[in-house]
Every structure is written in C-alpha cells, then in structure tokens.
Amino acid sequence: MLTFISAIIIGLIAAYTSGYAMKNMAWGSIIGIAAMILTQVLIGLYIRTRVNKINNAIQAKLQEVQAKIQRKVNMMQQKPGMSPKFMQSTIEKEQAQAVHNALEMTEQLKRYYLWSPLLAKQINTMKMMFHYQIKEFAQADALMDKCLFFDSTSSAMRIARMYRKNDPALDKFAKSKLKRAKGDSAVLLYALYSWILVKRNEIEAARQVLADSKKRCDNEVLNANWERLTNDKAKNFSNAALGEMWYMLYLEEPKVKTQRMRPQF
C-alpha cells in the first residue's frame, strides 16, 4: 500500500514540476507516469532484496541446525542400547527449538508489510507451516485464514486440518486445489483427498479422484491405490510408500518409525 501511495506522490510531483518547467503538461503527465512506474519498480526491488536476505538467513540457520541434528543422530545410533523413543524425543525438541528461532526471525519482516500487499500473507503461510511441522496445530489453525495456498504442501496441510476438524468446506477447497494441480506437486493432494474419501467410506468417489489423477500426474502409489479400489480392496489402500511426503501431515504414523529430518523448509 505504501509503495503505491509513494509512487503516486512522486509521480504527481514529477508531472507538475516537469510540466511547469517545459510549459507542456502533456509531457509532464508522461514523465509523471514514468516516474510513478519507476518508483514502484525500485521500491519493489528493494523490498524483495531485504525480504530475500532475511528468508535466506532463516533457511541457512535451519540447514545449519538440520546438519547438527543429523550428526547427533549418527552419534546416538552408534551407542549400544540407545532408546529409539529417547532419540526421537531429543530430535523433536531440537527441531522445535530451531523452528521457534525461525519464527522469531520472521518478525523482522513485519516492517515491510505495509509496503507489499501480499507479503503478510506469504509470511503467515511460512509461519503456519512452521507451526504445523512441529505439531503446534492450534497456532497453525489460527493463521490459516491469513495464508496463501498456492503450493501443494501448504494446501495439503490446510486440507488435513479441515479433515481433523470436520470442516464442511473441505471438499470445495480440496477440489479447487486439485483442478490446478499437476505433475509431482499434484501427487500429495490426490493422495490426501482420496485417503480422506476412503476414510469416509466414499469409495467410488475416491476411485474417481484417483482415476482423474492419471490425467494430471503419473505416480505408482496413486495408480496402485486406484487398482485396489477398482478391485474392491479398499482395506489395502495405503499412502505409506510416499514416505515423509505423506507422514509429514501427521494423519498416520509410520509402522516403522523413522528419524525425520524435517522439513525441507
């Protein structure tokens, strides 16, 4: 908003001063419009540079912690008698601390919210995903209405929460995202929505969703589940082969727990 207002003010000043100096308001108007556009571009580039700098710092810090956790995992696995439960608990605590530090770093971006209309929603989406990844679902839910859902991961997180809360708007939201999804980014959404339909015992609807997925993406897990539903083997429906992509939604626990180096922020 401030970017637009600043551009208008500078444009008007440029139009008036140049038009008065040249005694030609037509040229003054052209110069004013050019000044307005240039101002918006320059401010936009500056804000983007500052935001990217902070985002890169957040990513670098998370990667640093991730590497540290991996080293600790390797050391703990080498110790005989180490309890997997204790190891998992230790890792989750360190991951949670890393995410909380990242959330604190996002506060530096608030100063730019008034300069970029969509920035607040972009940062809220990042914060929502951070909270979700460390199972702080109440905080994630509080941010959902302030987010942008342009990517499959954030969209899947919202659908998963809508399922948990029996939100009647789930089907409409899920279908709207499936219409735009394609390629690898579509896999998680099709896997999730078909799983939800199976859980609701809407087997034919789930089979149709998986049939539609063949037009959008080619995935062995989706194809296998379609065959199971087609052959009346809904009990064998499983997204387990998707691995962390699936389990990061926390709708199911892996039968053999793995150490999750979460997430690819």
Side-chain angles (χ1 to χ4, degrees), residues 99-111:
V99 169
H100 286 146
N101 291 338
L103 286 166
E104 290 179 8
M105 293 176 72
T106 63
E107 295 300 304
Q108 301 174 48
L109 296 166
K110 282 187 174 181
R111 70 187 78 169

Side-chain angles (χ1 to χ4, degrees), residues 107-123:
E107 295 300 304
Q108 301 174 48
L109 296 166
K110 282 187 174 181
R111 70 187 78 169
Y112 303 115
Y113 284 3
L114 292 177
W115 293 92
S116 180
L118 293 179
L119 181 59
K121 287 197 171 185
Q122 292 172 346
I123 302 308

Side-chain angles (χ1 to χ4, degrees), residues 53-69:
K53 183 177 181 180
I54 295 172
N55 277 336
N56 290 338
I58 292 173
Q59 298 302 321
K61 188 64 178 177
L62 288 172
Q63 289 174 7
E64 178 185 336
V65 173
Q66 200 171 44
K68 177 182 177 183
I69 293 175

Side-chain angles (χ1 to χ4, degrees), residues 6-173:
S6 299
I8 290 178
I9 293 173
I10 292 175
L12 290 173
I13 293 173
Y16 177 78
T17 55
S18 59
Y20 181 79
M22 295 186 297
K23 297 181 180 180
N24 188 325
M25 293 310 296
W27 275 106
S29 297
I30 294 174
I31 293 173
I33 293 173
M36 182 175 68
I37 295 173
L38 181 61
T39 299
Q40 284 186 299
V41 171
L42 291 177
I43 293 177
L45 288 174
Y46 175 77
I47 297 300
R48 184 182 302 175
T49 300
R50 300 303 300 171
V51 170
N52 286 342
K53 183 177 181 180
I54 295 172
N55 277 336
N56 290 338
I58 292 173
Q59 298 302 321
K61 188 64 178 177
L62 288 172
Q63 289 174 7
E64 178 185 336
V65 173
Q66 200 171 44
K68 177 182 177 183
I69 293 175
Q70 184 61 61
R71 289 194 296 270
K72 178 169 286 191
V73 168
N74 294 338
M75 292 177 62
M76 294 174 76
Q77 287 177 335
Q78 294 175 4
K79 293 182 179 180
M82 176 61 65
S83 167
K85 186 175 181 180
F86 173 78
M87 184 163 58
Q88 182 69 24
S89 175
T90 301
I91 292 169
E92 288 179 352
K93 287 180 181 178
E94 295 204 15
Q95 288 175 333
Q97 183 58 54
V99 169
H100 286 146
N101 291 338
L103 286 166
E104 290 179 8
M105 293 176 72
T106 63
E107 295 300 304
Q108 301 174 48
L109 296 166
K110 282 187 174 181
R111 70 187 78 169
Y112 303 115
Y113 284 3
L114 292 177
W115 293 92
S116 180
L118 293 179
L119 181 59
K121 287 197 171 185
Q122 292 172 346
I123 302 308
N124 282 332
T125 305
M126 181 193 302
K127 292 166 68 174
M128 181 276 291
M129 294 174 71
F130 281 162
H131 283 300
Y132 193 108
Q133 288 156 356
I134 56 174
K135 301 182 182 181
E136 292 180 348
F137 299 122
Q139 293 90 326
D141 290 343
L143 289 166
M144 288 288 182
D145 291 336
K146 304 174 184 177
C147 296
L148 295 172
F149 297 97
F150 290 149
D151 68 288
S152 59
T153 302
S154 62
S155 296
M157 287 178 174
R158 182 173 189 182
I159 294 171
R161 291 305 298 156
M162 295 173 86
Y163 169 72
R164 288 295 195 191
K165 297 187 294 181
N166 295 315
D167 192 325
L170 185 157
D171 294 284
K172 181 178 179 180
F173 180 79

Side-chain angles (χ1 to χ4, degrees), residues 180-206:
R180 299 180 179 88
K182 60 181 179 179
D184 292 341
S185 64
V187 173
L188 179 59
L189 293 175
Y190 276 105
L192 171 59
Y193 190 45
S194 59
W195 180 88
I196 289 173
L197 291 172
V198 169
K199 287 296 181 180
R200 298 194 315 209
N201 202 34
E202 298 176 26
I203 306 303
E204 178 55 29

